[in-house]
């Protein structure tokens, strides 16, 4: 063996199939910290995870399927963490929920941007469905806490519009980090925006 020859690949640690799949997903999320998701190739994942290509293809048919699984993990974290606590005023509850949303989005910044960016090469019907799931979750939380089991079209439009505002503002904040807007400022502004939108809606909607 020549000195330049790195030798055979170190045998992969023994893992259950579930743990191995999770390991590949976690590896992709770690790679997203320094690479754009669309730039992550199978070779990047197998090298970082120290597994063979054959093992990779045992769990995923292609790198796009891995992207969907990894982005799904981010979405699952958003859904599990974004909640309205039982205590405090509505503004305080919203602040907690928005803080959790911003925390996850910032922690997985590249993945979040890729998930929402229009025209992203990893954007598919599956990733769009993941994003819709987060939106539906947030709207359902607001409807439930607002005590409006049958919201009017105006009310639903307001809530969905606010969720779109949260997404767009967070996307801009992450991509233009030099704006000088702090996370606490953004959180408080987003909370105030919802109350402002609801006030406008209340003047138009008898419900």
């Amino acid at each position: 063996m020549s000195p330049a020859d790195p030798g055979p690949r170190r045998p992969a640690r023994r893992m259950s199939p579930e743990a191995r799949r999770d390991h590949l997903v976690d590896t992709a999320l770690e790679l997203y910290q320094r690479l754009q998701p669309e730039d992550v190739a199978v070779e990047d994942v197998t090298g970082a995870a120290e597994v063979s290509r054959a093992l990779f293809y045992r769990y995923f048919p292609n790198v796009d399927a891995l992207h969907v699984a990894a982005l799904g993990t981010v979405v699952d974290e958003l859904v599990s963490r974004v909640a309205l606590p039982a205590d405090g005023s509505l503004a305080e509850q919203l602040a907690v929920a928005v803080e959790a949303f911003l925390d996850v989005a910032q922690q997985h910044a590249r993945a979040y941007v890729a998930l929402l960016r229009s025209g992203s090469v990893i954007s598919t019907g599956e990733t769009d469905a993941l994003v819709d799931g987060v939106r539906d979750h947030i709207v359902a939380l607001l409807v439930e806490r607002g005590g409006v089991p049958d919201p009017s079209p105006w009310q639903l439009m307001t809530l969905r519009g606010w969720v779109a505002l949260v997404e767009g503002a967070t996307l801009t904040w992450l991509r233009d980090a030099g704006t000088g807007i702090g996370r606490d400022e953004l959180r408080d502004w987003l909370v105030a925006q919802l109350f402002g939108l609801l006030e406008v809606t209340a003047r138009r909607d008898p419900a």
Side-chain angles (χ1 to χ4, degrees):
M1 183 188 311
S2 68
D5 188 343
R9 180 186 293 276
R10 187 169 60 190
R13 302 192 305 274
R14 289 188 177 277
M15 294 183 182
S16 68
E18 217 174 90
R20 174 62 66 192
R21 187 181 186 281
D22 289 345
H23 177 56
L24 291 171
V25 168
D26 290 342
T27 299
L29 289 172
E30 289 170 8
L31 288 169
Y32 294 167
Q33 299 301 316
R34 56 186 179 84
L35 296 171
Q36 298 294 347
E38 54 263 41
D39 293 334
V40 173
V42 172
E43 292 75 13
D44 298 312
V45 178
T46 55
E50 298 186 316
V51 300
S52 67
R53 286 176 64 90
L55 190 146
F56 174 91
Y57 286 115
R58 191 182 304 170
Y59 294 93
F60 297 100
N62 49 51
V63 74
D64 291 338
L66 175 62
H67 287 322
V68 172
L71 296 175
T73 299
V74 176
V75 166
D76 288 344
E77 187 173 351
L78 278 170
V79 170
S80 66
R81 291 189 55 188
V82 174
L84 294 173
D87 299 327
S89 66
L90 183 56
E92 291 168 337
Q93 294 173 40
L94 281 170
V96 170
V98 173
E99 179 74 20
F101 185 95
L102 294 175
D103 188 46
V104 176
Q106 191 172 29
Q107 181 184 349
H108 301 287
R110 290 183 187 272
Y112 179 83
V113 171
L115 196 60
L116 290 179
R117 190 176 63 225
S118 176
S120 169
V121 299
I122 65 172
S123 176
T124 66
E126 289 179 274
T127 58
D128 290 346
L130 293 174
V131 174
D132 285 342
V134 177
R135 293 167 179 158
D136 292 343
H137 168 71
I138 296 174
V139 170
L141 279 177
L142 295 171
V143 167
E144 178 185 357
R145 190 50 53 88
V148 186
D150 188 22
S152 72
W154 279 111
Q155 291 169 329
L156 277 178
M157 192 182 302
T158 301
L159 297 179
R160 288 174 178 156
W162 180 73
V163 172
L165 173 63
V166 172
E167 289 178 353
T170 302
L171 192 62
T172 301
W173 179 66
L174 290 173
R175 294 177 65 178
D176 304 331
T179 57
I181 298 174
R183 197 166 93 175
D184 289 352
E185 292 177 283
L186 179 60
R187 177 201 62 210
D188 294 344
W189 179 78
L190 288 171
V191 171
Q193 286 292 327
L194 178 56
F195 285 106
L197 289 170
L198 288 171
E199 183 179 344
V200 172
T201 298
R203 293 200 295 266
R204 286 182 173 271
D205 186 6

